Amino acid sequence: VARSSGRHFEEISAVSAGVKEVRAVISAARRRLGASGEETILFIDEVHRFSRSQQDALLPAVENRWVTLIAATTENPSFSVVAPLLSRSILLTLEPLGDDDIGELVDRALTDKRGLDSRIKIEDEARELLVRLAGADARRSLTLLEAAAATALDSRAPAITVDHVSEAADSALVRYGEDEHYDVASAFIKSMRGSDVDAAVHYLARMLEAGEDPRFIARRIMITASEDVGMADPSALQTAVAAAQSVQMIGMPEARIILSQAVIAVAIAPKSNAAYMAIEKATKDIRDGKSGPVPMHLRDAHYPGAKKLGHGQDYIYAHDEPYGIAAQQYLPDELEGARYYEPTSNGFEANVTKRLAKVQERLKMR
């Protein structure tokens, strides 16, 4: 870009540079612009490595057009780049390489003089494994190829085999940046919610292999058990809580078995978000100013003088009533008749629906 536009080019790596280096480049760019009118393109690699203060130091230069900033990051910029800088930028997303692209790169590296210079070949199955282990990462594919080739050449093998690739890789390294942490966690939760047990277990394994904290995973399972299963199968939350406690006591690698059981239980359970929707509706009313005073008969009456204020007067003790249901007003006057919990007909909640209808009928008998 700099060469085609006739501009000066400067490059900084956020891994090793700090605010001092950034300011020095910007100062030189200002002098150059003022003295000769020559503009500067500043390229910053791994910009997500810069702290917030370091990124803020770039703002004046960008706003005043002292430099044209081009920054590269392997992380999601929505999480790794400060909002003021991001709002002044054009975001270009480079899509992952496909298997054919990685395969072509491997083939070229085998024959190119800058690579292995045709000193060794690779078997088809080994090539397929290497491409798969690379996970759309060109750099990783070359690293694996180099290591596998070194092993094969040391053993005087005529070609790189599956065993050579496996030995070089040790295990499939899961590509997992901060943005993928959120993407995989989101897919994990949505798979449990959508009742796709196989997808849910896949994403569980993916997170564990990437080194995700099993306690984080356990928390996601507990939340899903309540938010998306709820009263359709109350035992799902019990299973999720038991799994979370077991993970704390046992740890990895055995904790993966417990997490798998909990994930399967939540994924195959009947679904209901009625409990989630109930608290959402109630919270909205509170935030909208709909609350009102607590009815007098429900107020605390245990302290001296409370009865003189009318607290607890005419309160009906539920256990003295038929079926243990006391027909009296519970909600504030302003919310009388409000309905927050609306059970579904899914799973156990179908029984709850029938019971709730009977309870509500008795509550009206006051």
Side-chain angles (χ1 to χ4, degrees):
V1 174
R3 187 162 47 247
S4 63
S5 61
R7 285 181 275 188
H8 183 78
F9 178 74
E10 291 283 352
E11 180 180 5
I12 288 178
S13 172
V15 176
S16 56
V19 174
K20 180 180 178 181
E21 289 80 1
V22 171
R23 287 176 175 165
V25 170
I26 292 173
S27 295
R30 289 184 66 183
R31 291 194 299 270
R32 194 177 302 111
L33 184 63
S36 64
E38 184 181 17
E39 298 179 1
T40 300
I41 287 182
L42 171 58
F43 175 71
I44 299 180
D45 194 20
E46 306 283 354
V47 70
H48 60 273
R49 296 291 192 94
F50 273 165
S51 66
R52 183 180 181 86
S53 61
Q54 288 172 315
Q55 291 185 34
D56 286 341
L58 296 168
L59 287 174
V62 173
E63 290 176 338
N64 293 296
R65 299 186 179 181
W66 298 330
V67 299
T68 298
L69 176 65
I70 300 177
T73 175
T74 55
E75 305 294 334
N76 188 330
S78 297
F79 301 117
S80 59
V81 178
V82 294
L85 191 58
L86 193 61
S87 66
R88 292 164 173 79
S89 305
I90 297 174
L91 181 62
L92 300 177
T93 302
L94 301 180
E95 298 297 334
L97 296 173
D99 287 351
D100 291 341
D101 300 316
I102 296 294
E104 182 181 340
L105 178 64
V106 169
D107 294 340
R108 195 161 63 240
L110 283 165
T111 58
D112 195 290
K113 290 184 179 180
R114 295 169 296 177
L116 293 169
D117 196 16
S118 299
R119 285 181 293 153
I120 194 166
K121 297 179 180 180
I122 187 170
E123 294 180 355
D124 290 341
E125 289 184 359
R127 181 180 181 277
E128 291 176 8
L129 176 61
L130 193 151
V131 168
R132 187 170 71 251
L133 292 180
D137 189 320
R139 185 181 301 169
R140 181 179 299 157
S141 71
L142 294 176
T143 300
L144 286 173
L145 177 62
E146 183 180 10
T151 302
L153 289 169
D154 287 344
S155 62
R156 300 185 182 277
I160 299 171
T161 66
V162 168
D163 289 339
H164 294 139
V165 174
S166 298
E167 184 179 343
D170 286 332
S171 63
L173 301 177
V174 180
R175 186 170 178 270
Y176 212 100
E178 184 177 358
D179 54 333
E180 285 172 302
H181 157 83
Y182 292 105
D183 288 343
V184 175
S186 175
F188 174 60
I189 293 165
K190 289 170 182 172
S191 296
M192 287 191 290
R193 178 185 298 149
S195 300
D196 191 326
V197 64
D198 298 309
V201 172
H202 162 77
Y203 289 116
L204 168 65
R206 194 160 163 177
M207 288 190 289
L208 290 173
E209 284 299 301
E212 191 69 76
D213 188 340
R215 295 171 298 178
F216 165 81
I217 298 173
R219 289 195 294 270
R220 297 303 102 190
I221 299 171
M222 286 190 286
I223 293 169
T224 303
S226 188
E227 179 179 344
D228 296 306
V229 176
M231 292 300 294
D233 184 359
S235 69
L237 180 58
Q238 297 170 4
T239 300
V241 171
Q245 293 172 338
S246 299
V247 166
Q248 293 272 21
M249 291 185 287
I250 295 173
M252 290 292 288
E254 289 82 1
R256 76 191 193 285
I257 306 168
I258 297 163
L259 291 171
S260 179
Q261 179 183 344
V263 166
I264 292 169
V266 171
I268 65 174
K271 301 299 189 292
S272 169
N273 69 343
Y276 166 75
M277 294 304 297
I279 189 61
E280 288 293 293
K281 293 174 188 175
T283 301
K284 184 178 184 303
D285 275 353
I286 298 299
R287 292 175 179 173
D288 288 345
K290 298 177 183 178
S291 54
V294 175
M296 295 295 289
H297 59 281
L298 298 183
R299 297 187 185 185
D300 182 16
H302 83 280
Y303 61 91
K307 291 185 178 180
K308 292 182 179 179
L309 298 173
H311 292 192
Q313 187 175 345
D314 299 325
Y315 168 68
I316 303 172
Y317 186 53
H319 296 287
D320 292 339
E321 299 299 300
Y323 307 104
I325 300 171
Q328 59 189 335
Q329 179 180 342
Y330 291 96
L331 279 168
D333 292 339
E334 186 177 351
L335 293 171
E336 181 71 1
R339 290 285 181 267
Y340 298 122
Y341 177 53
E342 298 178 7
T344 70
S345 58
N346 301 335
F348 177 78
E349 202 163 30
N351 299 327
V352 176
T353 300
K354 296 175 183 178
R355 170 162 174 76
L356 181 60
K358 294 177 181 178
V359 169
Q360 289 174 339
E361 282 299 316
R362 295 203 66 84
L363 288 174
K364 293 177 182 177
M365 298 170 57
R366 64 172 185 265

